[in-house]
Amino acid sequence: MRLSWFRGIVPALALAATILYLGSIKQEVHTHSERLQRAHYNDSVMLRGQDILMRMAKMETDINKLVKLLSSKIEKQDAPAAPEVKKERKAVRKLYPNSALFKKWGDELSEEEQKEAEDLYQRYGYNAFLSDRLPLNRDIPDTRHPRCAEKKYPEELPTMSVVLIYLDEALSIIKRAIRSIIDKTPARLLKEIILVDDHSSNDDLKEKLDEYITSIHEERPGLVKRVRHSEQLGLTQARLSGWKVATGDVVAILDAHIEVHVEWAEPLLARIKEDRTLILTPVFDRVNYDDLTVTPYVPAADAFDWALWCMYESFRPEWYALKDESLPGKSPSIMGILVADRKFFGEIGSLDGGMKIYGGENVELGIRVWLCGGSVEVIPCSKIAHIERAIKPYLPDLSVMMQRNALRVAEVWMDEYKDNVKIAWNLPLKNDGIDIGDVSERKKLRERLKCKPFQWYLDHVYPLLDPLNDLLGYGALINDLKPDLCIDQGAVPGNVPILYGCHFFSPQRCYYRADGQIYIGGIKSHKYNSNRCLVDPGLGNDPGLYECKVAKQKNFHMLWDFKQEGAIQNRDTKRCLEITIGADGYYKLIIQQCTEQHWKLQHIVKDF
């Protein structure tokens, strides 16, 4: 309290001292003026005296004004402060309490604004309401490793064509992407920006976007080109359309819902200048779909599972051994955003035009590049902020098209391992009923490029993929006493498998391996992951379900003898997995002495 009193009194004392000092100066000026008025020297002295008298009179007037101003400030400081009146904020009803958009954003919005924001969110899958109110050239944090800012790049670098593909994006999102590319790419390197519209229905992306492009051309004539599809062709065809009209030495094919970071282009162009057979990808940062803030991602390899779904994965150990996170890292695949020498991209077959709508084309490219003479790298010093959309624009369920595209990739490139893709999707190995289109041209491309076998890819590029060599059967596991019920992994977390009505999705997918292990609840694609093994705990009658590594460490009884349409018997305890009616009247799984119950696994890989 004493300290705050002292802080308050010091300015007042200073002002008072200033007034006293100015008052003394004023008195001296007045006295000197009177003396000059009484003096009667020669004419020259008189003239000089009159001039000085005029200056002193003005000085006295100015001092009077300054004294009055400072005195009023003291009076204000001495006056008691008016009590602060807090305006009560009117409570606004939350119209969409369950909407993901409003979980951590939008408390200050009126009801009308909430309606507009939610409508735009459902339309675009991100917060277009907020985007429309943010500057096009907004600042985003520089999330690169500190060493990246220290790097120097050659003055002479290849030119770049940037392709932005989109379907029904918000206008402000596309404008911000264009603005960030122009602002953060040296003009001498940016050859053009190519907008590829995959038949959007959004009217804003017609005249209003044209108007914005016109304003850009006042700054950079002819910089932006437009390609419009007359019908929706999908991501792969949109990327190909952009590449075909590009004229730069290097082509960067990006989504339109992005913002580039500072100095994003130079590390990509410098690396391609060193090796034109590289396919590169920047490191993504996530732009949150609700509040559009940026969440940094660390550099990681772009990988995939046997279903060909994308995922992030650690780089190979040798990258970490270098202890420099700014260096490029080898990657099995890409995530979809790619940068390549424009001509080399064509030489290796660009993208597979037989892919439909969405999914798998990035993995196909990654595998093909590695097998056919190139390589894939992630460039940590090139970063792009990318909006993670909550809703995808193409299809409500992308899995149907993804499944079809994955089978197409497998048929062309995976040789004897192509069945692993069908296993991952729980499809029969024969007669799956899915039309993957004509792949003859892609197979001819593989022959013409003299590409390596897929085994080489597993050995040298992606040894972490589990080849699933000893799998005997997979799919739903059904007891003939109750064929409408399937074994299910049960509650997670939990360690007790159950019987449940058959739906054939992942929780009910079982796998029998030649060594006797039975997995329940899916199979992992990678060697570093642990599946969940069926065990006989040895005590009681309930079967157990544990991570296989844990079961082995605890010496659980985890190996089973099983013949298709026969019993499932534990090799150690000799007890069988069977079903029985429980006290509640429902069927349940039980471990007991064998009573010759029969089980059938949905799909067979090898006879057992």
Side-chain angles (χ1 to χ4, degrees), residues 408-422:
R408 182 179 174 91
V409 176
E411 180 62 32
V412 176
W413 298 103
M414 291 188 174
D415 304 330
E416 68 269 28
Y417 295 97
K418 65 183 180 182
D419 286 346
N420 288 354
V421 176
K422 293 187 177 183

Side-chain angles (χ1 to χ4, degrees), residues 216-245:
I216 292 295
H217 285 168
E218 293 175 1
E219 173 189 350
R220 298 280 299 276
L223 180 67
V224 181
K225 299 178 181 178
R226 296 199 66 179
V227 177
R228 288 190 179 100
H229 289 170
S230 59
E231 60 179 326
Q232 191 180 114
L233 300 177
L235 283 177
T236 302
Q237 291 296 339
R239 288 168 177 153
L240 284 171
S241 295
W243 167 69
K244 288 174 182 175
V245 301

Side-chain angles (χ1 to χ4, degrees), residues 319-354:
W319 184 83
Y320 296 96
L322 297 172
K323 296 182 179 180
D324 184 351
E325 294 181 16
S326 70
L327 294 176
K330 296 296 183 182
S331 180
S333 183
I334 63 169
M335 279 289 178
I337 286 179
L338 66 98
V339 182
D341 178 283
R342 179 174 57 85
K343 292 181 179 178
F344 174 72
F345 188 60
E347 291 165 12
I348 61 163
S350 60
L351 295 172
D352 181 359

Side-chain angles (χ1 to χ4, degrees), residues 516-518 533-536 547-549 551-553 555-560 570 572:
Q517 294 182 80
I518 294 177
C533 279
L534 175 70
V535 304
D536 178 354
E547 282 197 14
C548 300
K549 293 177 182 177
K552 191 171 183 178
Q553 290 168 358
N555 294 318
F556 287 157
H557 309 297
M558 56 186 287
L559 301 181
W560 303 83
N570 190 275
D572 297 327

Side-chain angles (χ1 to χ4, degrees), residues 254-298:
L254 315 177
D255 294 333
H257 42 272
I258 57 96
E259 295 162 76
V260 298
H261 280 272
V262 63
E263 210 170 39
W264 75 285
E266 291 91 326
L268 298 167
L269 298 174
R271 191 74 184 101
I272 288 177
K273 183 178 181 180
E274 293 171 351
D275 184 353
R276 69 183 294 268
T277 68
L278 287 167
I279 302 294
L280 304 180
T281 182
V283 173
F284 294 172
D285 284 338
R286 187 184 77 226
V287 178
N288 299 310
Y289 63 80
D290 50 1
D291 60 5
L292 302 186
T293 56
V294 177
T295 300
Y297 278 0
V298 298

Side-chain angles (χ1 to χ4, degrees), residues 551-586:
K552 191 171 183 178
Q553 290 168 358
K554 296 192 174 187
N555 294 318
F556 287 157
H557 309 297
M558 56 186 287
L559 301 181
W560 303 83
D561 288 322
F562 172 37
K563 297 291 185 184
Q564 180 74 322
E565 299 189 30
I568 298 178
Q569 185 179 40
N570 190 275
R571 291 182 183 176
D572 297 327
T573 67
K574 303 303 180 185
R575 298 198 299 174
C576 285
L577 177 70
E578 298 190 338
I579 67 174
T580 188
I581 298 178
D584 57 3
Y586 292 97

